[in-house]
Amino acid sequence: MRLRIGLIVILTVALATGLAGPATADHTIKIGGQCDRTGATKLVGVEICPGIADYVKLVNKKGGVLGHKLEYTEIEHGYLVDRGVEAYERLKRDGAVAVFDYGTPIVYALTPRHMEDKIPAITPGFGRADSTDGTVWPYIFPMAASYWSQAGAAMEYIKQKGGKRGTKVAYLYFDNPAGREGIPIMEAVAAKEGYQLRLFAVPSPGLEMGPQVIDITRRFKADWVVGHLFGRSPSVSIKELRKAGFPMDHVVSFVWGAGEADIEAAGWDLAQGYLGMQFTSPGRSLPVIQEIIKMFRDEGKEVPAYVGGVYYSRGVLNAAVVVEGIRLAIQNFGLPVTGEKVKKGYELMKNFDLGGFLPPMTVTPTDHEGGGWVRLYQVKGKEWVPATDWYRGYREEVMAQVKKVNDVHKAAAKK
């Protein structure tokens, strides 16, 4: 397993370079995002969306981006595609120059609009993996490990833990476009290594998993389970696998089954040893989280319990990435800020890690994913504990799949 230690910079440096600006600047920059605080993924939305809003607030309190304030609009869509499209259209009418999409089915629905409108969307940890290649999808930015990279990393961990020809791997996934997204890489790596791979689909809403777990544990007799579930279904999988006697330290979850809320819903005692994938570092000791905590206290407000948690931290990452893209857009291309300039700003990001908050991310026109780094954490006691350093797995297979799918897109576009 290739491991990499993130470059550490001091948050104050990031704030100084990203937030300080001319006193006379007054160009307000509009950005927007969708959120699900009421639908199938509200367990994530109620934490990730405040993370975005709090970081934007912090930036504005420090003077904005190079002196320009941000105006952030959040629109609830309940994880429904039609409402997600409506939300995007409203943000566009309001003048947003950069947006956060929320939900893989919604990203697929909105892709043609982003391309036509030239308004860049970021989709950290979800969305369409083929958009890693920005020469084909110039206005879609995964900005964190795609589902293909997550699948490669899960299989890399299995290999490092003794996986060999004949090892049985069960892929337990939510049966929607997001859940199915990881299948090509699971299949490619299984074929390369000689693993026995079986797919176990969980239909929406993902609250019944007994039959799949019986198949996994009694008939297939899996050695490992790779879970790609979200919403309430990760907790159901933990309960069912534990009930069947499956070892939790042989369950590797993609990123949306790896939050504190997932484990609390299952029960910390039941989840001991469970492995979850992260693309940001959780915890309250990180400088940017300390800045946010100070902001709450300076305002005389109680710090919410979720601050510093897994999903909240990902919201902070979302906002920080957009802020960095806007900073680079202003610095290199001037005012007024447009979607096209923000897109170019994203593609100038180099070794961005927000003070050790995330693996060093470099984005280029040919890599909108930023490298595809992840880290595994493990449930121990009542917290997530690092189980690996930052790493990625089967990068050649991932990038080959990106090329294969995009070659098809290019050929279709020429017809």
Side-chain angles (χ1 to χ4, degrees), residues 1-3 150-169 185-186 188-196 223-226 249-252 275 277 376 388 391-397:
M1 183 183 300
R2 286 184 292 179
L3 304 178
Q150 292 173 45
M155 295 294 257
E156 179 71 30
Y157 184 78
I158 290 171
K159 182 178 181 181
Q160 294 303 319
K161 292 298 181 180
K164 58 186 178 182
R165 182 168 293 277
T167 292
K168 295 181 178 180
V169 180
I185 296 301
M186 295 296 297
V189 175
K192 177 186 175 89
E193 300 293 351
Y195 296 161
Q196 295 183 50
D223 298 304
W224 289 87
V225 173
V226 175
D249 61 357
H250 278 54
V251 181
V252 180
L275 293 152
M277 203 172 290
L376 283 185
T388 71
Y391 77 103
R392 52 188 182 178
Y394 295 97
R395 192 65 178 168
E396 288 186 7
E397 283 71 17

Side-chain angles (χ1 to χ4, degrees), residues 146 148-149 152 185 369 393-402:
S146 70
W148 290 349
S149 290
I185 296 301
E369 188 186 25
Y394 295 97
R395 192 65 178 168
E396 288 186 7
E397 283 71 17
V398 170
M399 297 311 293
Q401 181 68 15
V402 170

Side-chain angles (χ1 to χ4, degrees), residues 320-367:
V321 164
V322 171
V323 167
E324 179 67 0
I326 291 172
R327 182 186 74 81
L328 290 167
I330 296 172
Q331 196 172 61
N332 289 279
F333 310 111
L335 297 174
V337 177
T338 65
E340 177 71 12
K341 291 179 180 176
V342 175
K343 175 252 185 194
K344 292 179 179 177
Y346 287 152
E347 291 175 340
L348 291 173
M349 291 176 63
K350 187 174 181 180
N351 290 329
F352 177 70
D353 74 349
L354 200 62
F357 190 70
L358 64 153
M361 183 163 61
T362 295
V363 181
T364 70
T366 57
D367 182 6

